Amino acid sequence: MPSIAVKLYSVFFKFLLKHRLQNRIQTHVDESSNQYGVTTRPEESVSAANPSFTDGIATKDIHIDPSTALSVRIFLPESSLSPPEPKSKPGSSQQDESDSLNHRRNSYPNIGAPTNDSRRSSLEGSKLRSDDNVYRGYSPLPQNCRRLPIMLQFHGGGWVSGSNDSVANDIFCRRIAKLCDVIIVAVGYRLAPENKYPAAFEDGLKVLYWLAKQANLAECSKSMGSGALGVGAEFTKTQVQRHLVDAFGASMVEPWLAAHGDPSRCVLLGVSCGANIADYVARKAVEAGRLLDPVKVVAQVLMYPFFIGNVPTRSEINLANSYFYDKPMCLLAWKLFLPEEEFSLDHPAANPLVPDRGPPLKFMPPTLTVVAEHDWMRDRAIAYSEALRKVNVDAPVLEYKDAVHEFATLDMLLNTPQAQACAEDIAIWVKKYISLRGHEFSY
């Protein structure tokens, strides 16, 4: 059973959340004049972005859509400035896998001695940071810097609260970025009731397309800057770069992603209602196919997804009054999120197993599902995972005993051994799909 402290905090948490939800239901919202929306609440504690490598991670905020409040926070690991990994020798990967699984390392192993080029890259890469350790952007030799996988992260909060720059989400993303050795793009989607469905879902998909645009702009910048497009002798390099600025705008190319991101290894991670968004984005990525090139969604992680349905499962009956987010509270959140004329617990945003949700489940990416023993939504998440496995999708379930909803991401529970173990377990599974050839993880 959860500890006494968790039980007491749950009572206080539910009282406060119910009060806030009821206030928002009673507050009239003129949707036509609020399309810009909000991505955070005044009562929430937020963490400022910090471009210096604090605890090995630098962060920055970007407002990516001038017509809405949609923004992202990028978490860049300091390991991105290291020389690229040399290709492993045949037969060496098995030992690397065993060592990495036993010790759950926070970064990929460095195999072999660095070459002269990699030493030069490391030396010049250090110049990217000034004395105050602030990362400035492009690497002088981007081809010799590490290209890290990119993870899109969607926070929880029952559609109406939470933010990508909250203190708790900042700590969680830093932890995952270091354990998985990935660049995290945390999405600040618009909240309800100012913006009802499908605003949050559209924001998640918009960020995925923004990521594809960034990758293509970076490649174009690289080609034009090096004269690879057949620029004649009458054009100087400065003129070519000025042409790039005129064509796209220098501010449109995000330097951290351009220098260090590998969009061909993209992972989606959603927390609570963010898991619903992640699953939607994954489905749309499957439907888009090569239209998203060079972005490829290779896996997704659904942490205690916010699923529900008209026909209750066993956990929805037996655990209806569970800790933190109980069933009555979640119903209030769904009423705030779904338009009144569309409200149904079998809405495609709510129930992952409704017919004709599309695309066929067999095309979905590998999906890791995290559930908690005392979460009333657990059974429906498990059922969705079982449906994926029936069509041969790699879809394991990690169930944590004596755990509650958001046990690994809620501010009070972030530092518990169970939260740390969950992050490490996620990293082991994710590395199976994002590791470079010869460095794959297995279990």
Side-chain angles (χ1 to χ4, degrees), residues 115-129:
T115 62
N116 290 334
D117 286 342
S118 62
R119 287 195 192 99
R120 185 158 60 101
S121 173
S122 180
L123 177 62
E124 296 192 21
S126 65
K127 297 177 183 178
L128 297 172
R129 291 171 287 172

Side-chain angles (χ1 to χ4, degrees), residues 79-229:
S79 61
S80 61
L81 300 185
S82 302
E85 294 172 345
K87 294 181 180 179
S88 63
K89 297 179 181 179
S92 64
S93 61
Q94 184 174 359
Q95 182 62 39
D96 293 337
E97 289 178 14
S98 176
D99 291 342
S100 299
L101 284 173
N102 289 337
H103 300 288
R104 295 185 179 185
R105 291 175 179 171
N106 291 348
S107 59
Y108 297 121
N110 291 320
I111 302 175
T115 62
N116 290 334
D117 286 342
S118 62
R119 287 195 192 99
R120 185 158 60 101
S121 173
S122 180
L123 177 62
E124 296 192 21
S126 65
K127 297 177 183 178
L128 297 172
R129 291 171 287 172
S130 62
D131 293 338
D132 60 359
N133 202 37
V134 174
Y135 183 53
R136 300 301 182 187
Y138 276 118
S139 164
L141 296 172
Q143 70 274 17
N144 286 329
C145 279
R146 295 189 64 201
R147 311 282 297 188
L148 300 182
I150 298 174
M151 177 181 286
L152 294 192
Q153 188 263 355
F154 305 92
H155 65 82
W159 309 117
V160 298
S161 61
S163 68
N164 66 333
D165 58 357
S166 68
V167 173
N169 200 65
D170 188 85
I171 294 172
F172 173 72
C173 287
R174 286 174 178 272
R175 176 179 294 170
I176 293 294
K178 286 191 291 184
L179 287 172
C180 295
D181 204 19
V182 297
I183 298 173
I184 288 185
V185 179
V187 181
Y189 55 86
R190 288 170 291 171
L191 301 176
E194 291 84 351
N195 291 97
K196 294 179 177 287
Y197 173 86
F201 286 66
E202 291 176 342
D203 287 350
L205 186 59
K206 190 175 293 184
V207 173
L208 188 67
Y209 275 98
W210 174 81
L211 187 62
K213 179 180 178 181
Q214 286 298 318
N216 286 304
L217 285 175
E219 186 62 29
C220 184
S221 173
K222 177 182 174 183
S223 299
M224 296 187 71
S226 62
L229 295 181

Side-chain angles (χ1 to χ4, degrees), residues 153-333:
Q153 188 263 355
F154 305 92
H155 65 82
W159 309 117
V160 298
S161 61
S163 68
N164 66 333
D165 58 357
S166 68
V167 173
N169 200 65
D170 188 85
I171 294 172
F172 173 72
C173 287
R174 286 174 178 272
R175 176 179 294 170
I176 293 294
K178 286 191 291 184
L179 287 172
C180 295
D181 204 19
V182 297
I183 298 173
I184 288 185
V185 179
V187 181
Y189 55 86
R190 288 170 291 171
L191 301 176
E194 291 84 351
N195 291 97
K196 294 179 177 287
Y197 173 86
F201 286 66
E202 291 176 342
D203 287 350
L205 186 59
K206 190 175 293 184
V207 173
L208 188 67
Y209 275 98
W210 174 81
L211 187 62
K213 179 180 178 181
Q214 286 298 318
N216 286 304
L217 285 175
E219 186 62 29
C220 184
S221 173
K222 177 182 174 183
S223 299
M224 296 187 71
S226 62
L229 295 181
V231 180
E234 67 273 14
F235 294 106
T236 66
K237 185 175 181 179
T238 301
Q239 290 172 319
V240 173
Q241 291 173 335
R242 184 178 298 116
H243 175 75
L244 175 67
V245 173
D246 292 339
F248 301 108
S251 62
M252 294 181 67
V253 180
E254 207 307 295
W256 291 12
L257 296 178
H260 304 293
D262 181 359
S264 68
R265 294 181 289 160
C266 181
V267 178
L268 309 178
L269 186 150
V271 176
S272 189
C273 65
N276 297 44
I277 301 175
D279 190 62
Y280 170 85
V281 173
R283 289 189 286 116
K284 292 301 180 182
V286 169
E287 292 174 353
R290 299 193 64 179
L291 293 176
L292 274 172
D293 282 352
V295 172
K296 292 181 175 59
V297 176
V298 298
Q300 68 169 338
V301 180
L302 308 180
M303 300 183 68
Y304 20 83
F306 210 65
F307 294 151
I308 198 171
N310 273 325
V311 180
T313 64
R314 180 175 298 180
S315 66
E316 289 172 355
I317 295 173
N318 297 337
L319 300 173
N321 193 34
S322 57
Y323 304 96
F324 293 100
Y325 291 90
D326 57 26
K327 190 170 183 178
M329 209 78 65
C330 293
L331 288 174
L332 284 177

